[in-house]
Amino acid sequence: MTSPKLSAPLDQGVLSSTPAATVALKAVEPVSTAPARKRAPRRSTPLTIAMLAVLAYFLLPLFWLLIASTKSTQDLFNSFGLWFSHAPQLLTNIRATFAQDDGVFAHWLLNTVIYAGVSSLGAALLAAAGGYGFAKFRFRGDRAAFNLVLGAVMVPTTALAIPTYLLFAQAGLVNTPWAVILPSLVNPFGLYLMRIYAQDAVPDSLLEAARIDGAGEARIFFRIVLRLLGPGLVTVLLFTLVATWNNYFLPLIMLNDPDLYPVTVGLSSWAAQAQNGGAGSSSDMLALVVTGSMLSIIPLVVAFLLLQRYWQSGLAAGGVKQ
């Protein structure tokens, strides 16, 4: 038999006369909705000192570069390194840098933008395609191939510079822009990163739904997968951009024409002139090298500021499982 339904609420006074009812009433009492007091963040003096030391380690060279770019060559040696001289001349140094050797610095900067831009976009796209393939497709020898990629991550790029030069010399690509761009497209770490990222960022159910709707693999990759891999793409793009922008050894051995130099090799040639120079324009060459170094980091800072929101959005991806 089922117990009859109560037509009216029971009197709390009656219920409170039994111990079981008292416990039940306490269990359904409204809980206070007052906001809980937040705990004060724990502070560690040794950790704070260590973080300040790391911050100074990374920012002091940049601060010195900004200060030194406002000085003449004479003031670089006669004034305190971490403060301005009595006669700052930043604009004069910038004008002299762009005017030196008929404006070759601007040409070097443009070469660097082309090399780094094409290399970073191509490397990010190839890494996304390879990482997606390793993550979502199974084929014979896939594990061996991926282990080969992991082994390639451990090989330093400088060890491959001479074999790359010999290979490109046989192909007739030495002293061309392709000698800098093509080796930069190969990014084993980027492929490894995209494989790990695609494993969780691209749902298998979404791929199956697209295939059922009749979409081909190329359309799925370019219309669906690339959008899901956006934060990972930006990460690989930034890493490759910085690596190619700061690359010195590969362009040094691949390029002989000064008109093809990136800014790293070009400033190195100016520094060599400053070391071997005497009177005349070469006596001020060191100030131009410092100013050119300061100008060369501005595009990288701008790139990070423009892309950081896409990069930061991907740092927490996969941190919470649904």
Side-chain angles (χ1 to χ4, degrees):
M1 296 178 61
T2 59
S3 59
K5 296 183 179 179
L6 296 179
S7 59
L10 295 178
D11 186 6
Q12 292 186 3
V14 176
L15 290 177
S16 61
S17 60
T18 61
T22 303
V23 173
L25 286 175
K26 290 183 178 181
V28 298
E29 286 181 355
V31 180
S32 175
T33 58
R37 295 175 58 185
K38 295 183 179 180
R39 292 184 178 181
R42 299 179 60 183
R43 297 181 178 179
S44 173
T45 301
L47 183 59
T48 302
I49 295 175
M51 292 300 295
L52 290 176
V54 172
L55 184 65
Y57 175 79
F58 285 105
L59 292 184
L60 273 180
L62 180 61
F63 180 73
W64 178 90
L65 184 63
L66 294 176
I67 296 299
S69 62
T70 65
K71 300 179 180 180
S72 63
T73 301
Q74 183 178 4
D75 290 336
L76 286 174
F77 296 98
N78 297 333
S79 62
F80 180 58
L82 295 179
W83 197 244
F84 299 95
S85 62
H86 297 290
Q89 53 178 32
L90 177 61
L91 296 179
T92 302
N93 288 343
I94 293 176
R95 286 194 296 265
T97 301
F98 282 101
Q100 181 69 25
D101 294 337
D102 298 327
V104 71
F105 178 78
H107 193 68
W108 292 340
L109 204 58
L110 179 61
N111 291 340
T112 308
V113 171
I114 295 174
Y115 297 157
V118 175
S119 298
S120 58
L121 290 175
L125 183 61
L126 291 177
Y132 166 68
F134 277 118
K136 297 302 177 180
F137 293 91
R138 293 294 173 263
F139 52 91
R140 182 176 299 179
D142 56 346
R143 292 187 178 181
F146 187 69
N147 291 333
L148 185 62
V149 172
L150 293 180
V153 174
M154 307 303 295
V155 179
T157 55
T158 53
L160 301 176
I162 300 301
T164 303
Y165 173 80
L166 297 177
L167 180 64
F168 276 66
Q170 292 293 327
L173 295 176
V174 173
N175 203 31
T176 65
W178 296 110
V180 179
I181 294 175
L182 291 180
S184 302
L185 296 178
V186 181
N187 190 346
F189 176 75
L191 195 152
Y192 165 76
L193 184 65
M194 292 305 300
R195 191 264 184 189
I196 299 301
Y197 189 82
Q199 190 70 40
D200 295 327
V202 182
D204 294 334
S205 58
L206 184 60
L207 299 178
E208 292 298 330
R211 291 174 182 135
I212 292 175
D213 290 340
E217 295 298 334
R219 186 177 181 183
I220 292 174
F221 175 73
F222 287 104
R223 298 293 297 273
I224 299 176
V225 174
L226 282 183
R227 296 184 180 182
L228 298 176
L229 298 180
L233 277 171
V234 173
T235 302
V236 177
L237 187 145
L238 285 175
F239 285 165
T240 310
L241 180 69
V242 174
T244 309
W245 191 280
N246 295 328
N247 198 351
Y248 170 74
F249 189 57
L250 180 65
L252 179 65
I253 66 173
M254 289 291 188
L255 303 176
N256 299 322
D257 187 359
D259 291 335
L260 297 176
Y261 284 172
V263 69
T264 51
V265 181
L267 291 177
S268 176
S269 65
W270 278 3
Q273 293 181 30
Q275 293 178 354
N276 301 326
S281 59
S282 60
S283 61
D284 295 330
M285 192 66 71
L286 185 59
L288 303 185
V289 172
V290 174
T291 306
S293 301
M294 187 272 297
L295 294 173
S296 67
I297 67 173
I298 294 178
L300 289 181
V301 175
V302 173
F304 268 89
L305 292 178
L306 293 178
L307 298 176
Q308 66 175 349
R309 66 189 184 97
Y310 301 102
W311 193 25
Q312 292 174 355
S313 65
L315 295 180
V320 178
K321 298 297 182 182
Q322 301 294 334

